[in-house]
Amino acid sequence: MNLQIVTGDLLGQPVEVIVNAWNQNIVPWWLLRPHGVSGAIKRHAGTAPFQELRSYGRLARGQAVLTSAGKLPCKGIIHVASITWSGRSNSEIVQQSVHNALELAQSNGFISIAFPILGSGSGGMNEQTALDSMLTALQTVSFDGTVYVVQYRPTLATS
């Protein structure tokens, strides 16, 4: 595995598949106001991936499912249930999510994947703690390709 920790925008990474930090799919997506990674995906990909996601029903904590990429330039989106029904996350869920996302990517023949820092943001974990949890999981899984972990930092508009 070639691991790259980068700063930037998840949607701008040169990968075949991106990971969406999602919930357990209990509340229908159209009742939610996606923000963070999910909000950016919805704005750029459209609603098709979320309509596909609905067909999976309730997700177990850490479960990973694959949908199309909608209008995004990548080949697919792996949605991971890295946030509980109550909107929180923890190290165990993050590690399960990383493992399951990479296993799904590998089984579908993807050779490049980009993750946001799962569990941070709406998951409520400190960013460094969440990143450390991801790195721990990445040490225990095999992936024949490149993994990007993207630390999101908004860009400032310049005049």
Side-chain angles (χ1 to χ4, degrees):
M1 170 188 330
N2 176 18
L3 175 62
Q4 304 281 325
I5 300 175
V6 299
T7 300
D9 184 347
L10 178 74
L11 304 184
Q13 301 307 309
V15 295
E16 292 184 321
V17 66
I18 62 170
V19 175
N20 178 27
W22 192 239
N23 57 52
Q24 290 184 271
N25 222 19
I26 297 170
V27 178
W29 70 270
W30 62 88
L31 293 178
L32 299 172
R33 292 185 183 192
H35 57 286
V37 172
S38 295
I41 290 172
K42 184 179 176 188
R43 284 190 302 279
H44 295 280
T47 60
F50 294 95
Q51 291 171 357
E52 291 174 50
L53 182 56
R54 172 177 55 186
S55 70
Y56 286 98
R58 183 179 177 150
L59 304 177
R61 289 180 182 171
Q63 185 177 349
V65 297
L66 177 65
T67 68
S68 71
K71 298 175 188 171
L72 292 174
C74 56
K75 294 180 180 179
I77 301 170
I78 294 176
H79 306 265
V80 292
S82 61
I83 303 167
T84 66
W85 64 270
S86 63
R88 306 314 281 166
S89 193
N90 62 48
S91 292
E92 181 182 341
I93 295 170
V94 167
Q95 290 175 20
Q96 288 173 339
S97 296
V98 168
H99 181 270
N100 291 335
L102 285 175
E103 189 174 88
L104 185 59
Q106 184 85 20
S107 70
N108 280 276
F110 295 120
I111 60 168
S112 57
I113 185 171
F115 285 88
I117 299 180
L118 300 174
S120 65
S122 61
M125 292 178 69
N126 168 280
E127 185 178 272
Q128 188 60 53
T129 302
L131 176 59
D132 290 344
S133 296
M134 291 183 70
L135 295 175
T136 296
L138 289 167
Q139 293 173 4
T140 65
V141 68
S142 176
F143 181 72
D144 298 326
T146 302
V147 174
Y148 292 86
V149 176
V150 183
Q151 295 177 299
Y152 176 72
R153 299 293 182 263
T155 56
L156 299 174
T158 56
S159 20

